């Protein structure tokens, strides 16, 4: 069964450093997402990406964040200058958008645990 | 921001019995509702969904009920199995976008 994969599973970085989190969405999916979950809190939407551009983003997704689909398979989240409060689980997801509406199920990867020291 | 609420942080049931997990929402624009299951150190795994035009959707042991007037949905698992023990998240999005809003989750423990 196809699945979303993410690397690395755990990333430790120093405050102020740049990190890139990587995801390989399900191959025939068209919509890609990043969510995060700070320890003890809800899973929160960050950004959605379709047709090589951001389609929606939350207020969390400020200028320190960027996303890219550098090739036909990878989808990345970059944090330019990490802060302590960026420590969280980051989940990538993808959906097929076969219906043309927002009712395609989002399938999640296993997550990357980011620890900012 | 409490647009999706799961008021029970935990639920414990005996193997073979029914588990009922509840979820309330406040945003009347929500059009599509999903339940995800999550084990520690893993990502959310899709379980079942329902669109606002339906009031029930069934898939094997899992049934989701939607009461639009009450802005309430529930997930029924019957019979419950020890392997069902996990955190269950309710999530929703409007038809206008793909932004899922999650509840805080309910930890289900199924005792053998």
């Amino acid at each position: 069964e196809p699945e979303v994969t993410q690397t690395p599973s755990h990333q430790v970085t120093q405050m102020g450093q740049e990190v890139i989190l990587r995801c390989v969405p399900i191959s025939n999916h068209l919509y890609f997402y990043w969510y995060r979950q700070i320890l003890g809190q809800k899973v929160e939407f960050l950004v959605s990406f379709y047709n090589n551009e951001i389609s929606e983003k939350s207020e969390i997704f400020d200028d320190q964040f960027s996303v890219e689909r550098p090739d036909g398979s990878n989808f990345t989240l970059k944090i330019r200058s990490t802060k302590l409060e960026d420590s969280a689980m980051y989940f990538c997801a993808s959906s097929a958008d076969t219906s043309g509406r927002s009712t395609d199920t989002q399938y999640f990867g296993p997550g990357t645990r980011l620890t900012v020291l | 921001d409490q647009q999706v609420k799961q008021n029970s942080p935990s639920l414990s049931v005996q193997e073979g019995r029914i588990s009922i997990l509840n979820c309330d929402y406040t945003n009347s624009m929500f059009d599509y509702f999903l339940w995800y299951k999550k084990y520690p150190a893993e990502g959310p795994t899709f379980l079942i969904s329902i669109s606002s035009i339906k009031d029930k959707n069934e898939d094997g042991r899992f049934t989701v009920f939607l009461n639009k007037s009450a802005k309430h949905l529930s997930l029924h698992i019957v019979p419950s199995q020890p392997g069902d023990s996990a955190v269950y998240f309710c999530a929703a999005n409007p038809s206008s976008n793909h932004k899922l809003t999650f509840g805080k989750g309910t930890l289900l423990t199924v005792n053998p």
Side-chain angles (χ1 to χ4, degrees):
Chain A
E1 185 174 317
E3 57 183 21
V4 177
T5 59
Q6 291 185 242
T7 54
S9 56
H10 191 186
Q11 174 89 46
V12 181
T13 190
Q14 294 290 325
M15 190 169 57
Q17 295 295 303
E18 174 183 288
V19 293
I20 297 176
L21 310 182
R22 291 183 166 80
C23 168
V24 178
I26 295 172
S27 62
N28 63 342
H29 282 186
L30 301 176
Y31 262 92
F32 315 114
Y33 313 85
W34 285 100
Y35 290 79
R36 78 173 184 189
Q37 186 180 27
I38 294 170
L39 189 64
Q41 298 187 24
K42 291 185 180 186
V43 176
E44 302 172 287
F45 171 83
L46 291 178
V47 66
S48 62
F49 190 85
Y50 174 72
N51 200 25
N52 277 321
E53 60 182 27
I54 290 173
S55 52
E56 293 131 1
K57 61 181 181 177
S58 71
E59 58 278 4
I60 303 167
F61 194 87
D62 61 22
D63 291 344
Q64 292 299 313
F65 292 88
S66 62
V67 289
E68 191 180 25
R69 187 149 163 85
D71 53 44
S73 59
N74 290 283
F75 179 53
T76 63
L77 174 70
K78 182 194 289 186
I79 310 175
R80 283 191 192 78
S81 177
T82 50
K83 308 184 191 79
L84 295 176
E85 54 265 35
D86 293 328
S87 295
M89 281 290 287
Y90 286 80
F91 296 108
C92 174
S94 68
S95 66
D97 193 36
T98 52
S99 66
R101 300 194 307 166
S102 309
T103 51
D104 286 296
T105 299
Q106 295 180 31
Y107 293 91
F108 284 74
T112 292
R113 178 171 297 284
L114 176 65
T115 302
V116 182
L117 303 175
Chain B
D1 180 3
Q2 288 266 16
Q3 295 189 63
V4 177
K5 301 179 199 177
Q6 293 177 257
N7 291 320
S8 298
S10 63
L11 174 68
S12 183
V13 299
Q14 285 299 119
E15 181 178 6
R17 307 295 282 266
I18 185 170
S19 296
I20 300 176
L21 298 115
N22 293 302
C23 178
D24 297 293
Y25 62 96
T26 56
N27 188 340
S28 57
M29 301 303 292
F30 285 150
D31 195 46
Y32 189 54
F33 304 88
L34 308 93
W35 284 93
Y36 287 88
K37 171 179 167 180
K38 187 178 179 304
Y39 294 116
E42 293 186 13
T45 301
F46 170 71
L47 268 179
I48 193 167
S49 62
I50 189 167
S51 74
S52 60
I53 60 173
K54 294 186 174 183
D55 55 17
K56 178 182 173 181
N57 188 26
E58 197 170 347
D59 183 3
R61 296 186 298 116
F62 302 93
T63 303
V64 56
F65 294 93
L66 175 62
N67 183 334
K68 279 189 70 178
S69 60
K71 293 192 175 68
H72 177 83
L73 64 155
S74 60
L75 174 68
H76 292 210
I77 307 172
V78 56
S80 302
Q81 299 172 354
D84 295 330
S85 298
V87 177
Y88 287 78
F89 290 100
C90 171
N93 69 282
S95 59
S96 58
N97 65 57
H98 294 73
K99 176 185 168 183
L100 280 179
T101 299
F102 281 80
K104 284 189 173 180
T106 297
L107 173 62
L108 174 66
T109 303
V110 180
N111 301 302

